[in-house]
Amino acid sequence: MTDTDLTDTYLGYIVCLNNQDWRNLHRFVHDEVHYNGDRIGLSGYREMLERDFSEIPDLHFDIQLLISDTPFMASRLQFNCTPSGNFLGLPVNGRKVSFSENVFYEFLDGRIRHVWSIIDKAAIEAQL
């Protein structure tokens, strides 16, 4: 897999997330995916994403920065959204917030095998 292939796959993954196309998530995410060091598997990853969209109805993944070095991908995602209740332990309760996520991925056999994510919680706290 080349860096271009990896980028194309990642862009497809983001489209899949934004369209909530859960039936095709397996095309982008490995069955044995790990999230921040924990093996959660494809079903756990899907449940996490479905919960995110349930709690944040206007959730949209917006790529601000993308760097590829096969088999790794680094992305800075920007969010402008309205969580309906508590988010990351913060009482957002329907207020519009903007924040970023810095996330690193490792791909195996063309699918995401490891995800390491850090959300800018301080940016959210400053808006509340």
Side-chain angles (χ1 to χ4, degrees):
M1 184 171 241
T2 67
D3 286 351
T4 301
D5 295 334
L6 198 63
T7 297
D8 290 343
T9 298
Y10 185 75
L11 294 175
Y13 164 72
I14 294 298
V15 168
C16 179
L17 296 184
N18 284 332
N19 290 333
Q20 299 179 54
D21 184 11
W22 309 132
R23 291 183 338 183
N24 286 307
L25 187 63
H26 70 279
R27 293 180 49 216
F28 305 100
V29 178
H30 197 279
D31 294 336
E32 300 298 318
V33 67
H34 289 69
Y35 182 80
N36 284 345
D38 295 325
R39 184 198 162 282
I40 61 173
L42 179 59
S43 63
Y45 197 75
R46 177 179 172 164
E47 288 171 12
M48 176 185 68
L49 290 166
E50 287 177 332
R51 183 176 52 252
D52 289 346
F53 276 93
S54 173
E55 295 173 358
I56 310 169
D58 60 349
L59 184 61
H60 180 81
F61 292 74
D62 183 15
I63 301 169
Q64 297 294 301
L65 178 65
L66 192 60
I67 300 171
S68 177
D69 186 15
T70 303
F72 298 98
M73 175 73 63
S75 182
R76 182 171 176 87
L77 301 168
Q78 184 64 38
F79 300 93
N80 298 298
C81 57
T82 315
S84 58
N86 282 342
F87 178 61
L88 301 175
L90 300 172
V92 178
N93 300 323
R95 286 181 258 178
K96 189 85 147 168
V97 291
S98 297
F99 61 93
S100 60
E101 175 185 18
N102 295 313
V103 60
F104 297 87
Y105 305 87
E106 182 180 16
F107 284 73
L108 177 66
D109 299 327
R111 296 186 294 163
I112 297 167
R113 167 75 171 174
H114 291 273
V115 180
W116 298 275
S117 166
I118 298 177
I119 294 175
D120 187 357
K121 186 176 177 180
I124 300 168
E125 289 172 327
Q127 296 168 65
L128 297 180

